[in-house]
Amino acid sequence: SRTLAVLRRVSALIVLGDSWREFFIGIGVPAGRIAVMPNPVRLPVNAPARLSARLVTCVYLGVISNRKGAFDLIDALRLLPTHCRERLRLVVAGNGKGEQLRARVSQHGLAHIVQVHDWLAPEQRDALLASAHVFALHSYNEGLPMALLEAMAFGVAPIVTPVGSIAEVVKDGLNGLLVQPGDPRALATAL
């Protein structure tokens, strides 16, 4: 294709991680022309101390869509045992299909534990991350999400899928949990 011909002629191609580097090498971009540069993230001045709390706050930040797994997250909440659901609060913030997500939350009787917001300003996002315990992003495809890196910078434990370059920064069982996309049951188990 024309796009591939252009990619083969570029003097430099910047990608988000090694998995993307391997992908582009695989389609014919010369390896010496590919540079890996992960997304940068600003670290908070003070990492928040999270004391044990009765409620666990889980956050989802990003585009609210099927591709990002937002609706899978609601399905996973439904699968949780009651005693787990009673200890969990989910805050979703982003643009996209917010109204459809609110309808799904209401339809499944989860409005008492799920809040759906529009896009947050940076200071609101930082305040939310400072109070959060878990970051969940059940994406079907990604590069290297800024929301994940921002959450990790605040010391929030990620539950994410091993797509794009995510598995390069989240090591299953070490600094987060990896679950397969499209599997709300595995996501519920991780939660």
Side-chain angles (χ1 to χ4, degrees):
S1 81
R2 215 162 69 186
T3 303
L4 183 55
V6 169
L7 284 173
R8 288 182 176 151
R9 290 194 328 258
V10 299
S11 56
L13 177 63
I14 299 171
V15 297
L16 293 173
D18 290 327
S19 62
W20 286 108
R21 181 179 189 281
E22 296 306 315
F23 169 80
F24 283 107
I25 289 171
I27 64 169
V29 177
R33 296 182 188 165
I34 302 174
V36 175
M37 186 180 299
N39 281 328
V41 65
R42 184 179 306 247
L43 297 173
V45 175
N46 297 309
R50 291 178 184 83
L51 304 174
S52 14
R54 189 184 108 54
L55 283 179
V56 173
T57 300
C58 177
V59 297
Y60 169 104
L61 302 172
V63 175
I64 299 170
S65 69
N66 291 319
R67 182 183 74 80
K68 294 280 191 173
F71 294 89
D72 289 344
L73 186 53
I74 301 307
D75 292 340
L77 292 181
R78 291 179 52 222
L79 297 171
L80 288 174
T82 304
H83 72 278
C84 290
R85 242 190 342 260
E86 288 172 353
R87 292 197 56 223
L88 185 68
R89 180 178 136 232
L90 172 64
V91 180
V92 175
N95 59 0
K97 297 182 177 183
E99 286 307 313
Q100 291 96 322
L101 191 69
R102 284 181 188 95
R104 172 87 59 102
V105 166
S106 179
Q107 172 189 1
H108 295 302
L110 297 170
H112 64 291
I113 64 168
V114 180
Q115 299 171 9
V116 181
H117 300 280
D118 294 330
W119 205 258
L120 299 177
E123 52 280 348
Q124 293 170 304
R125 175 206 60 215
D126 292 351
L128 177 59
L129 289 174
S131 68
H133 301 92
V134 175
F135 172 79
L137 186 65
H138 201 223
S139 291
Y140 287 68
N141 54 53
E142 281 290 351
L144 183 56
M146 287 298 299
L148 166 64
L149 298 175
E150 290 163 347
M152 290 179 77
F154 273 85
V156 180
I159 300 175
V160 291
T161 54
V163 297
S165 294
I166 291 175
E168 293 174 36
V169 296
V170 177
K171 303 301 179 197
D172 191 41
L174 182 62
N175 64 348
L177 296 175
L178 296 172
V179 295
Q180 291 304 308
D183 190 348
R185 190 163 302 283
L187 181 55
T189 299
L191 286 168

